[in-house]
Amino acid sequence: MPQSTSVPGERHVFVYGTLRAGGRNDIARFAPPPRRVADAEVAGTLYDLGAYPGMALGGEGRVTGEVYAIDAQVEAALDRLEEVADDDSGEYVKRWLRVQSFGGRTFDCLVYEIHPSRIEGCAVIAGGDWIAHSRR
């Protein structure tokens, strides 16, 4: 596996839904402004929860997203938005994942995985791209 290009102390997040560029919650609206560093995809399944998606990590599917460099203040705001709970009972569970960009760089990324109880009965988004799906 390629070595991570993350700088010590620098945080990265992989976003795949409404936080993507042009999405309803575009991550660029947070302060200090996150810096987009790569486009990537990860192994996972994307589910349609109505106004937003949720991703279950792993499996054969691929989920499209973007990697951003963020600071602790933005991470805390994302935790609130994604309703992360310390005991992993919130809407999303905070995970760390090594993500390889389309350009071949790797980043250790924060990823918000949907809590398994939230996707029961939800449709899978074929192709794993929320932005493309939401424009249909």
Side-chain angles (χ1 to χ4, degrees), residues 64-133:
T64 301
E66 302 153 5
V67 176
Y68 289 85
I70 61 171
D71 75 356
Q73 182 179 334
V74 171
E75 182 178 340
L78 294 175
D79 286 355
R80 286 188 298 277
L81 176 72
E82 304 294 11
E83 298 180 23
V84 171
D86 290 338
D87 65 359
D88 291 342
S89 66
E91 184 165 22
Y92 288 84
V93 179
K94 194 178 198 177
R95 306 276 190 220
W96 289 94
L97 183 68
R98 182 154 288 180
V99 175
Q100 185 170 355
S101 73
F102 291 131
R105 295 176 63 199
T106 59
F107 300 91
D108 293 323
C109 291
L110 167 63
V111 178
Y112 292 94
E113 182 177 26
I114 192 69
H115 192 281
S117 68
R118 306 296 206 269
I119 56 175
E120 292 175 19
C122 293
V124 171
I125 297 173
D129 187 330
W130 171 252
I131 298 295
H133 174 77

Short mmCIF file of all heavy atoms in Angstrom, two decimals, residues 64-133:
data_model
loop_
_atom_site.label_atom_id
_atom_site.label_comp_id
_atom_site.label_asym_id
_atom_site.label_seq_id
_atom_site.Cartn_x
_atom_site.Cartn_y
_atom_site.Cartn_z
N THR A 64 -18.10 7.45 -4.38
CA THR A 64 -17.35 8.60 -4.86
C THR A 64 -17.37 9.73 -3.84
O THR A 64 -18.42 10.00 -3.24
CB THR A 64 -17.96 9.10 -6.19
OG1 THR A 64 -17.93 8.02 -7.13
CG2 THR A 64 -17.22 10.30 -6.74
N GLY A 65 -16.24 10.40 -3.69
CA GLY A 65 -16.20 11.53 -2.77
C GLY A 65 -14.98 12.40 -2.98
O GLY A 65 -14.26 12.29 -3.97
N GLU A 66 -14.77 13.28 -2.01
CA GLU A 66 -13.69 14.26 -2.05
C GLU A 66 -12.96 14.24 -0.71
O GLU A 66 -13.57 14.02 0.33
CB GLU A 66 -14.28 15.65 -2.29
CG GLU A 66 -15.08 15.74 -3.57
CD GLU A 66 -16.18 16.79 -3.58
OE1 GLU A 66 -16.30 17.58 -2.60
OE2 GLU A 66 -16.94 16.81 -4.56
N VAL A 67 -11.66 14.52 -0.76
CA VAL A 67 -10.84 14.58 0.44
C VAL A 67 -10.50 16.04 0.71
O VAL A 67 -10.06 16.77 -0.20
CB VAL A 67 -9.55 13.75 0.27
CG1 VAL A 67 -8.65 13.90 1.50
CG2 VAL A 67 -9.88 12.28 0.01
N TYR A 68 -10.72 16.46 1.95
CA TYR A 68 -10.42 17.84 2.37
C TYR A 68 -9.50 17.83 3.57
O TYR A 68 -9.64 16.97 4.46
CB TYR A 68 -11.71 18.57 2.77
CG TYR A 68 -12.59 18.90 1.60
CD1 TYR A 68 -13.50 17.97 1.11
CD2 TYR A 68 -12.51 20.14 0.97
CE1 TYR A 68 -14.30 18.27 0.02
CE2 TYR A 68 -13.31 20.44 -0.12
CZ TYR A 68 -14.21 19.50 -0.58
OH TYR A 68 -14.99 19.78 -1.66
N ALA A 69 -8.59 18.78 3.62
CA ALA A 69 -7.79 19.06 4.81
C ALA A 69 -8.65 19.97 5.69
O ALA A 69 -9.18 20.97 5.20
CB ALA A 69 -6.48 19.73 4.45
N ILE A 70 -8.79 19.60 6.96
CA ILE A 70 -9.63 20.37 7.88
C ILE A 70 -8.88 20.59 9.19
O ILE A 70 -7.89 19.92 9.47
CB ILE A 70 -10.97 19.66 8.17
CG1 ILE A 70 -10.73 18.28 8.81
CG2 ILE A 70 -11.81 19.54 6.90
CD1 ILE A 70 -11.99 17.61 9.33
N ASP A 71 -9.39 21.50 10.00
CA ASP A 71 -8.82 21.68 11.33
C ASP A 71 -9.80 21.14 12.37
O ASP A 71 -10.91 20.71 12.04
CB ASP A 71 -8.43 23.14 11.58
CG ASP A 71 -9.60 24.05 11.84
OD1 ASP A 71 -10.76 23.61 11.77
OD2 ASP A 71 -9.36 25.22 12.15
N ALA A 72 -9.38 21.16 13.63
CA ALA A 72 -10.19 20.59 14.71
C ALA A 72 -11.54 21.28 14.85
O ALA A 72 -12.54 20.64 15.20
CB ALA A 72 -9.41 20.66 16.03
N GLN A 73 -11.60 22.57 14.58
CA GLN A 73 -12.86 23.32 14.69
C GLN A 73 -13.88 22.80 13.67
O GLN A 73 -15.05 22.61 13.98
CB GLN A 73 -12.59 24.80 14.47
CG GLN A 73 -13.79 25.70 14.60
CD GLN A 73 -13.42 27.17 14.40
OE1 GLN A 73 -12.29 27.58 14.62
NE2 GLN A 73 -14.39 27.95 13.97
N VAL A 74 -13.43 22.55 12.45
CA VAL A 74 -14.33 22.03 11.42
C VAL A 74 -14.74 20.60 11.76
O VAL A 74 -15.89 20.22 11.61
CB VAL A 74 -13.68 22.12 10.02
CG1 VAL A 74 -14.51 21.39 8.97
CG2 VAL A 74 -13.49 23.58 9.62
N GLU A 75 -13.79 19.81 12.24
CA GLU A 75 -14.12 18.44 12.65
C GLU A 75 -15.22 18.44 13.71
O GLU A 75 -16.17 17.65 13.62
CB GLU A 75 -12.89 17.71 13.16
CG GLU A 75 -13.16 16.28 13.55
CD GLU A 75 -11.92 15.54 14.02
OE1 GLU A 75 -10.78 15.96 13.72
OE2 GLU A 75 -12.10 14.50 14.69
N ALA A 76 -15.12 19.31 14.68
CA ALA A 76 -16.15 19.39 15.73
C ALA A 76 -17.50 19.78 15.14
O ALA A 76 -18.54 19.23 15.53
CB ALA A 76 -15.72 20.39 16.81
N ALA A 77 -17.51 20.70 14.18
CA ALA A 77 -18.76 21.11 13.53
C ALA A 77 -19.35 19.95 12.73
O ALA A 77 -20.57 19.74 12.72
CB ALA A 77 -18.51 22.32 12.63
N LEU A 78 -18.49 19.19 12.06
CA LEU A 78 -18.97 18.03 11.30
C LEU A 78 -19.54 16.97 12.24
O LEU A 78 -20.57 16.35 11.94
CB LEU A 78 -17.84 17.44 10.46
CG LEU A 78 -17.32 18.31 9.33
CD1 LEU A 78 -16.12 17.65 8.65
CD2 LEU A 78 -18.41 18.63 8.32
N ASP A 79 -18.90 16.77 13.38
CA ASP A 79 -19.42 15.81 14.37
C ASP A 79 -20.83 16.19 14.80
O ASP A 79 -21.70 15.32 14.93
CB ASP A 79 -18.52 15.76 15.61
CG ASP A 79 -17.20 15.04 15.38
OD1 ASP A 79 -16.99 14.47 14.28
OD2 ASP A 79 -16.37 15.04 16.31
N ARG A 80 -21.07 17.49 14.99
CA ARG A 80 -22.42 17.94 15.38
C ARG A 80 -23.41 17.73 14.24
O ARG A 80 -24.51 17.22 14.45
CB ARG A 80 -22.39 19.41 15.80
CG ARG A 80 -21.76 19.65 17.16
CD ARG A 80 -21.93 21.08 17.64
NE ARG A 80 -21.28 22.06 16.77
CZ ARG A 80 -19.98 22.38 16.84
NH1 ARG A 80 -19.20 21.79 17.72
NH2 ARG A 80 -19.48 23.29 16.03
N LEU A 81 -23.02 18.11 13.03
CA LEU A 81 -23.89 17.96 11.86
C LEU A 81 -24.27 16.50 11.65
O LEU A 81 -25.42 16.18 11.37
CB LEU A 81 -23.19 18.51 10.61
CG LEU A 81 -23.96 18.34 9.30
CD1 LEU A 81 -25.16 19.29 9.25
CD2 LEU A 81 -23.05 18.58 8.11
N GLU A 82 -23.30 15.61 11.80
CA GLU A 82 -23.53 14.19 11.55
C GLU A 82 -24.09 13.45 12.77
O GLU A 82 -24.29 12.24 12.73
CB GLU A 82 -22.23 13.52 11.09
CG GLU A 82 -21.60 14.17 9.86
CD GLU A 82 -22.42 14.03 8.59
OE1 GLU A 82 -23.59 13.62 8.64
OE2 GLU A 82 -21.88 14.34 7.51
N GLU A 83 -24.33 14.19 13.85
CA GLU A 83 -24.94 13.64 15.08
C GLU A 83 -24.15 12.44 15.60
O GLU A 83 -24.70 11.39 15.91
CB GLU A 83 -26.40 13.29 14.84
CG GLU A 83 -27.25 14.50 14.48
CD GLU A 83 -28.71 14.17 14.24
OE1 GLU A 83 -29.20 13.14 14.75
OE2 GLU A 83 -29.37 14.96 13.54
N VAL A 84 -22.83 12.64 15.71
CA VAL A 84 -21.95 11.61 16.25
C VAL A 84 -22.12 11.56 17.77
O VAL A 84 -22.16 12.60 18.43
CB VAL A 84 -20.48 11.91 15.88
CG1 VAL A 84 -19.51 10.99 16.61
CG2 VAL A 84 -20.29 11.82 14.38
N ALA A 85 -22.22 10.35 18.32
CA ALA A 85 -22.33 10.16 19.78
C ALA A 85 -21.08 9.41 20.26
O ALA A 85 -20.55 8.55 19.56
CB ALA A 85 -23.58 9.37 20.12
N ASP A 86 -20.64 9.74 21.46
CA ASP A 86 -19.44 9.10 22.01
C ASP A 86 -19.57 7.58 22.09
O ASP A 86 -18.58 6.86 21.98
CB ASP A 86 -19.12 9.66 23.40
CG ASP A 86 -18.62 11.09 23.34
OD1 ASP A 86 -18.13 11.51 22.26
OD2 ASP A 86 -18.71 11.80 24.36
N ASP A 87 -20.79 7.08 22.27
CA ASP A 87 -20.99 5.63 22.38
C ASP A 87 -21.37 4.98 21.05
O ASP A 87 -21.86 3.85 21.01
CB ASP A 87 -22.04 5.32 23.45
CG ASP A 87 -23.43 5.84 23.08
OD1 ASP A 87 -23.60 6.48 22.01
OD2 ASP A 87 -24.36 5.61 23.87
N ASP A 88 -21.18 5.70 19.93
CA ASP A 88 -21.47 5.21 18.58
C ASP A 88 -22.96 4.92 18.34
O ASP A 88 -23.31 4.15 17.46
CB ASP A 88 -20.63 3.97 18.22
CG ASP A 88 -19.16 4.30 18.05
OD1 ASP A 88 -18.84 5.49 17.86
OD2 ASP A 88 -18.34 3.37 18.11
N SER A 89 -23.83 5.56 19.11
CA SER A 89 -25.27 5.36 18.94
C SER A 89 -25.92 6.48 18.12
O SER A 89 -27.13 6.46 17.92
CB SER A 89 -25.96 5.27 20.31
OG SER A 89 -25.86 6.53 20.98
N GLY A 90 -25.13 7.44 17.65
CA GLY A 90 -25.67 8.56 16.89
C GLY A 90 -26.03 8.15 15.47
O GLY A 90 -25.90 6.99 15.06
N GLU A 91 -26.47 9.13 14.68
CA GLU A 91 -26.86 8.83 13.31
C GLU A 91 -25.67 8.33 12.49
O GLU A 91 -25.80 7.42 11.68
CB GLU A 91 -27.48 10.04 12.63
CG GLU A 91 -27.98 9.71 11.24
CD GLU A 91 -28.91 10.73 10.64
OE1 GLU A 91 -28.90 11.91 11.08
OE2 GLU A 91 -29.65 10.35 9.73
N TYR A 92 -24.51 8.93 12.71
CA TYR A 92 -23.30 8.51 12.01
C TYR A 92 -22.25 8.10 13.04
O TYR A 92 -22.23 8.60 14.16
CB TYR A 92 -22.74 9.65 11.14
CG TYR A 92 -23.58 9.90 9.91
CD1 TYR A 92 -24.70 10.71 9.97
CD2 TYR A 92 -23.25 9.31 8.69
CE1 TYR A 92 -25.48 10.93 8.84
CE2 TYR A 92 -24.02 9.53 7.56
CZ TYR A 92 -25.14 10.33 7.64
OH TYR A 92 -25.90 10.54 6.53
N VAL A 93 -21.37 7.20 12.61
CA VAL A 93 -20.27 6.74 13.45
C VAL A 93 -18.97 7.22 12.80
O VAL A 93 -18.77 7.07 11.59
CB VAL A 93 -20.28 5.20 13.56
CG1 VAL A 93 -19.11 4.71 14.41
CG2 VAL A 93 -21.61 4.71 14.13
N LYS A 94 -18.13 7.82 13.60
CA LYS A 94 -16.87 8.37 13.12
C LYS A 94 -15.85 7.24 12.96
O LYS A 94 -15.63 6.47 13.90
CB LYS A 94 -16.39 9.39 14.16
CG LYS A 94 -15.32 10.29 13.76
CD LYS A 94 -15.09 11.22 14.95
CE LYS A 94 -14.36 12.45 14.58
NZ LYS A 94 -14.23 13.36 15.71
N ARG A 95 -15.28 7.15 11.78
CA ARG A 95 -14.30 6.11 11.47
C ARG A 95 -13.05 6.75 10.88
O ARG A 95 -13.10 7.87 10.39
CB ARG A 95 -14.84 5.12 10.43
CG ARG A 95 -16.15 4.49 10.77
CD ARG A 95 -15.94 3.30 11.66
NE ARG A 95 -17.20 2.56 11.78
CZ ARG A 95 -17.63 2.04 12.89
NH1 ARG A 95 -16.91 2.15 13.99
NH2 ARG A 95 -18.76 1.38 12.94
N TRP A 96 -11.95 6.02 10.91
CA TRP A 96 -10.72 6.43 10.23
C TRP A 96 -10.42 5.41 9.15
O TRP A 96 -10.55 4.21 9.37
CB TRP A 96 -9.56 6.55 11.21
CG TRP A 96 -9.73 7.74 12.09
CD1 TRP A 96 -10.30 7.76 13.33
CD2 TRP A 96 -9.40 9.09 11.77
NE1 TRP A 96 -10.33 9.06 13.81
CE2 TRP A 96 -9.79 9.89 12.87
CE3 TRP A 96 -8.82 9.70 10.67
CZ2 TRP A 96 -9.61 11.26 12.90
CZ3 TRP A 96 -8.64 11.08 10.70
CH2 TRP A 96 -9.02 11.84 11.80
N LEU A 97 -10.06 5.90 7.98
CA LEU A 97 -9.86 5.03 6.83
C LEU A 97 -8.73 5.58 5.98
O LEU A 97 -8.65 6.79 5.76
CB LEU A 97 -11.16 4.99 6.01
CG LEU A 97 -11.22 4.09 4.80
CD1 LEU A 97 -11.20 2.62 5.22
CD2 LEU A 97 -12.50 4.38 4.01
N ARG A 98 -7.86 4.71 5.51
CA ARG A 98 -6.83 5.13 4.56
C ARG A 98 -7.48 5.17 3.19
O ARG A 98 -8.02 4.18 2.71
CB ARG A 98 -5.64 4.18 4.57
CG ARG A 98 -4.56 4.68 3.60
CD ARG A 98 -3.20 4.23 3.95
NE ARG A 98 -2.74 4.94 5.13
CZ ARG A 98 -1.54 4.74 5.67
NH1 ARG A 98 -0.73 3.86 5.15
NH2 ARG A 98 -1.18 5.42 6.74
N VAL A 99 -7.45 6.35 2.55
CA VAL A 99 -8.11 6.59 1.27
C VAL A 99 -7.07 6.88 0.21
O VAL A 99 -6.19 7.73 0.42
CB VAL A 99 -9.10 7.78 1.39
CG1 VAL A 99 -9.70 8.14 0.04
CG2 VAL A 99 -10.18 7.48 2.42
N GLN A 100 -7.17 6.20 -0.92
CA GLN A 100 -6.26 6.47 -2.04
C GLN A 100 -7.01 7.31 -3.06
O GLN A 100 -8.10 6.96 -3.50
CB GLN A 100 -5.77 5.19 -2.69
CG GLN A 100 -4.75 5.49 -3.78
CD GLN A 100 -4.04 4.24 -4.29
OE1 GLN A 100 -4.23 3.15 -3.78
NE2 GLN A 100 -3.22 4.42 -5.30
N SER A 101 -6.42 8.45 -3.42
CA SER A 101 -7.05 9.37 -4.38
C SER A 101 -6.93 8.82 -5.79
O SER A 101 -6.15 7.90 -6.05
CB SER A 101 -6.40 10.75 -4.31
OG SER A 101 -5.11 10.70 -4.91
N PHE A 102 -7.70 9.40 -6.70
CA PHE A 102 -7.60 9.01 -8.11
C PHE A 102 -6.19 9.29 -8.64
O PHE A 102 -5.74 8.63 -9.57
CB PHE A 102 -8.64 9.75 -8.96
CG PHE A 102 -10.05 9.31 -8.67
CD1 PHE A 102 -11.04 10.24 -8.43
CD2 PHE A 102 -10.39 7.97 -8.64
CE1 PHE A 102 -12.34 9.85 -8.17
CE2 PHE A 102 -11.70 7.56 -8.38
CZ PHE A 102 -12.66 8.50 -8.14
N GLY A 103 -5.48 10.23 -8.05
CA GLY A 103 -4.12 10.56 -8.46
C GLY A 103 -3.06 9.67 -7.83
O GLY A 103 -1.87 9.85 -8.07
N GLY A 104 -3.47 8.74 -6.96
CA GLY A 104 -2.54 7.80 -6.36
C GLY A 104 -2.02 8.19 -4.98
O GLY A 104 -1.33 7.40 -4.34
N ARG A 105 -2.32 9.39 -4.51
CA ARG A 105 -1.91 9.80 -3.16
C ARG A 105 -2.81 9.12 -2.13
O ARG A 105 -3.96 8.83 -2.42
CB ARG A 105 -2.00 11.31 -3.00
CG ARG A 105 -1.02 12.06 -3.89
CD ARG A 105 -1.20 13.56 -3.79
NE ARG A 105 -0.94 14.03 -2.43
CZ ARG A 105 -1.36 15.20 -1.95
NH1 ARG A 105 -2.07 16.02 -2.71
NH2 ARG A 105 -1.07 15.56 -0.73
N THR A 106 -2.29 8.88 -0.95
CA THR A 106 -3.11 8.30 0.11
C THR A 106 -3.23 9.28 1.28
O THR A 106 -2.31 10.06 1.56
CB THR A 106 -2.55 6.96 0.62
OG1 THR A 106 -1.23 7.16 1.11
CG2 THR A 106 -2.55 5.92 -0.49
N PHE A 107 -4.37 9.21 1.93
CA PHE A 107 -4.67 10.09 3.05
C PHE A 107 -5.35 9.27 4.14
O PHE A 107 -6.21 8.44 3.85
CB PHE A 107 -5.64 11.21 2.63
CG PHE A 107 -5.11 12.08 1.53
CD1 PHE A 107 -5.36 11.77 0.20
CD2 PHE A 107 -4.37 13.21 1.81
CE1 PHE A 107 -4.88 12.56 -0.83
CE2 PHE A 107 -3.89 14.02 0.80
CZ PHE A 107 -4.14 13.68 -0.52
N ASP A 108 -4.97 9.50 5.39
CA ASP A 108 -5.69 8.93 6.52
C ASP A 108 -6.86 9.87 6.79
O ASP A 108 -6.65 11.02 7.20
CB ASP A 108 -4.78 8.81 7.74
CG ASP A 108 -3.68 7.78 7.52
OD1 ASP A 108 -3.96 6.75 6.87
OD2 ASP A 108 -2.55 8.01 7.98
N CYS A 109 -8.06 9.38 6.53
CA CYS A 109 -9.26 10.24 6.53
C CYS A 109 -10.27 9.87 7.60
O CYS A 109 -10.52 8.69 7.86
CB CYS A 109 -9.98 10.16 5.19
SG CYS A 109 -9.11 10.91 3.83
N LEU A 110 -10.86 10.89 8.13
CA LEU A 110 -12.06 10.75 8.93
C LEU A 110 -13.19 10.48 7.94
O LEU A 110 -13.27 11.12 6.88
CB LEU A 110 -12.31 12.08 9.66
CG LEU A 110 -13.63 12.30 10.33
CD1 LEU A 110 -13.84 11.28 11.43
CD2 LEU A 110 -13.68 13.70 10.88
N VAL A 111 -14.03 9.51 8.24
CA VAL A 111 -15.19 9.18 7.40
C VAL A 111 -16.38 9.01 8.33
O VAL A 111 -16.26 8.41 9.40
CB VAL A 111 -14.96 7.87 6.61
CG1 VAL A 111 -16.18 7.51 5.79
CG2 VAL A 111 -13.73 7.96 5.73
N TYR A 112 -17.52 9.55 7.93
CA TYR A 112 -18.73 9.40 8.71
C TYR A 112 -19.57 8.28 8.09
O TYR A 112 -20.14 8.43 7.02
CB TYR A 112 -19.52 10.71 8.76
CG TYR A 112 -18.79 11.76 9.56
CD1 TYR A 112 -17.95 12.67 8.95
CD2 TYR A 112 -18.91 11.81 10.95
CE1 TYR A 112 -17.26 13.63 9.69
CE2 TYR A 112 -18.23 12.75 11.71
CZ TYR A 112 -17.41 13.66 11.06
OH TYR A 112 -16.73 14.60 11.80
N GLU A 113 -19.61 7.14 8.80
CA GLU A 113 -20.37 5.97 8.33
C GLU A 113 -21.74 5.98 8.98
O GLU A 113 -21.88 6.22 10.19
CB GLU A 113 -19.62 4.69 8.71
CG GLU A 113 -20.32 3.43 8.23
CD GLU A 113 -19.55 2.16 8.55
OE1 GLU A 113 -18.76 2.13 9.52
OE2 GLU A 113 -19.76 1.18 7.82
N ILE A 114 -22.77 5.71 8.19
CA ILE A 114 -24.13 5.71 8.71
C ILE A 114 -24.28 4.57 9.73
O ILE A 114 -23.72 3.49 9.55
CB ILE A 114 -25.17 5.58 7.56
CG1 ILE A 114 -26.59 5.86 8.06
CG2 ILE A 114 -25.08 4.24 6.88
CD1 ILE A 114 -26.86 7.28 8.44
N HIS A 115 -25.02 4.83 10.80
CA HIS A 115 -25.31 3.79 11.78
C HIS A 115 -26.16 2.72 11.10
O HIS A 115 -27.12 3.06 10.39
CB HIS A 115 -26.03 4.39 12.99
CG HIS A 115 -26.10 3.46 14.14
ND1 HIS A 115 -27.02 2.43 14.19
CD2 HIS A 115 -25.35 3.38 15.26
CE1 HIS A 115 -26.85 1.76 15.32
NE2 HIS A 115 -25.84 2.31 15.99
N PRO A 116 -25.84 1.45 11.26
CA PRO A 116 -26.57 0.39 10.56
C PRO A 116 -28.09 0.43 10.77
O PRO A 116 -28.84 0.07 9.86
CB PRO A 116 -25.98 -0.90 11.14
CG PRO A 116 -24.64 -0.53 11.67
CD PRO A 116 -24.75 0.91 12.09
N SER A 117 -28.55 0.88 11.91
CA SER A 117 -29.99 0.92 12.16
C SER A 117 -30.71 1.96 11.30
O SER A 117 -31.94 1.90 11.15
CB SER A 117 -30.26 1.22 13.64
OG SER A 117 -29.86 2.55 13.96
N ARG A 118 -29.99 2.89 10.73
CA ARG A 118 -30.60 3.98 9.96
C ARG A 118 -30.86 3.62 8.49
O ARG A 118 -31.50 4.39 7.78
CB ARG A 118 -29.73 5.24 9.99
CG ARG A 118 -29.35 5.74 11.37
CD ARG A 118 -30.59 6.17 12.15
NE ARG A 118 -30.30 7.17 13.16
CZ ARG A 118 -29.99 6.91 14.42
NH1 ARG A 118 -29.89 5.68 14.84
NH2 ARG A 118 -29.78 7.90 15.27
N ILE A 119 -30.32 2.50 8.01
CA ILE A 119 -30.44 2.19 6.58
C ILE A 119 -31.43 1.07 6.28
O ILE A 119 -31.63 0.72 5.12
CB ILE A 119 -29.07 1.87 5.95
CG1 ILE A 119 -28.37 0.74 6.69
CG2 ILE A 119 -28.21 3.13 5.90
CD1 ILE A 119 -27.07 0.28 6.04
N GLU A 120 -32.07 0.54 7.31
CA GLU A 120 -33.05 -0.53 7.10
C GLU A 120 -34.15 -0.03 6.16
O GLU A 120 -34.76 1.01 6.41
CB GLU A 120 -33.65 -0.98 8.43
CG GLU A 120 -32.65 -1.69 9.31
CD GLU A 120 -33.21 -2.04 10.67
OE1 GLU A 120 -34.45 -2.06 10.83
OE2 GLU A 120 -32.40 -2.29 11.58
N GLY A 121 -34.36 -0.75 5.07
CA GLY A 121 -35.40 -0.39 4.11
C GLY A 121 -35.05 0.72 3.15
O GLY A 121 -35.87 1.11 2.32
N CYS A 122 -33.83 1.26 3.23
CA CYS A 122 -33.41 2.34 2.33
C CYS A 122 -32.85 1.77 1.03
O CYS A 122 -32.21 0.73 1.02
CB CYS A 122 -32.35 3.22 3.00
SG CYS A 122 -32.98 4.15 4.41
N ALA A 123 -33.08 2.49 -0.06
CA ALA A 123 -32.60 2.07 -1.37
C ALA A 123 -31.10 2.30 -1.50
O ALA A 123 -30.57 3.30 -1.00
CB ALA A 123 -33.33 2.83 -2.47
N VAL A 124 -30.43 1.39 -2.19
CA VAL A 124 -29.02 1.54 -2.52
C VAL A 124 -28.91 2.48 -3.71
O VAL A 124 -29.70 2.42 -4.64
CB VAL A 124 -28.39 0.17 -2.87
CG1 VAL A 124 -26.98 0.34 -3.42
CG2 VAL A 124 -28.37 -0.73 -1.63
N ILE A 125 -27.94 3.38 -3.66
CA ILE A 125 -27.68 4.31 -4.77
C ILE A 125 -26.69 3.63 -5.72
O ILE A 125 -25.51 3.50 -5.40
CB ILE A 125 -27.13 5.65 -4.26
CG1 ILE A 125 -28.18 6.33 -3.37
CG2 ILE A 125 -26.71 6.54 -5.42
CD1 ILE A 125 -27.68 7.57 -2.67
N ALA A 126 -27.21 3.17 -6.85
CA ALA A 126 -26.36 2.51 -7.84
C ALA A 126 -25.30 3.49 -8.33
O ALA A 126 -25.57 4.65 -8.57
CB ALA A 126 -27.20 2.02 -9.01
N GLY A 127 -24.09 3.04 -8.45
CA GLY A 127 -23.00 3.89 -8.91
C GLY A 127 -22.27 4.61 -7.79
O GLY A 127 -21.18 5.12 -7.99
N GLY A 128 -22.88 4.70 -6.60
CA GLY A 128 -22.20 5.26 -5.44
C GLY A 128 -21.86 6.74 -5.49
O GLY A 128 -20.96 7.18 -4.79
N ASP A 129 -22.59 7.51 -6.29
CA ASP A 129 -22.30 8.95 -6.42
C ASP A 129 -23.54 9.76 -6.04
O ASP A 129 -24.49 9.84 -6.82
CB ASP A 129 -21.86 9.25 -7.86
CG ASP A 129 -21.37 10.68 -8.05
OD1 ASP A 129 -21.84 11.60 -7.34
OD2 ASP A 129 -20.51 10.88 -8.94
N TRP A 130 -23.53 10.36 -4.86
CA TRP A 130 -24.67 11.11 -4.37
C TRP A 130 -25.00 12.31 -5.24
O TRP A 130 -26.16 12.59 -5.52
CB TRP A 130 -24.46 11.57 -2.93
CG TRP A 130 -25.52 12.51 -2.47
CD1 TRP A 130 -25.40 13.85 -2.26
CD2 TRP A 130 -26.89 12.20 -2.17
NE1 TRP A 130 -26.60 14.39 -1.85
CE2 TRP A 130 -27.54 13.39 -1.79
CE3 TRP A 130 -27.64 11.02 -2.19
CZ2 TRP A 130 -28.87 13.44 -1.43
CZ3 TRP A 130 -28.98 11.07 -1.83
CH2 TRP A 130 -29.59 12.28 -1.46
N ILE A 131 -23.99 13.05 -5.67
CA ILE A 131 -24.23 14.26 -6.48
C ILE A 131 -24.93 13.88 -7.77
O ILE A 131 -25.93 14.51 -8.16
CB ILE A 131 -22.92 15.04 -6.74
CG1 ILE A 131 -22.30 15.53 -5.41
CG2 ILE A 131 -23.16 16.20 -7.70
CD1 ILE A 131 -23.12 16.55 -4.64
N ALA A 132 -24.44 12.87 -8.47
CA ALA A 132 -25.09 12.43 -9.72
C ALA A 132 -26.51 11.94 -9.44
O ALA A 132 -27.45 12.27 -10.17
CB ALA A 132 -24.26 11.34 -10.39
N HIS A 133 -26.69 11.20 -8.37
CA HIS A 133 -28.01 10.66 -7.99
C HIS A 133 -28.99 11.79 -7.65
O HIS A 133 -30.14 11.74 -8.07
CB HIS A 133 -27.84 9.72 -6.79
CG HIS A 133 -29.11 9.21 -6.23
ND1 HIS A 133 -29.85 8.20 -6.84
CD2 HIS A 133 -29.81 9.57 -5.13
CE1 HIS A 133 -30.92 7.97 -6.10
NE2 HIS A 133 -30.91 8.78 -5.06
#
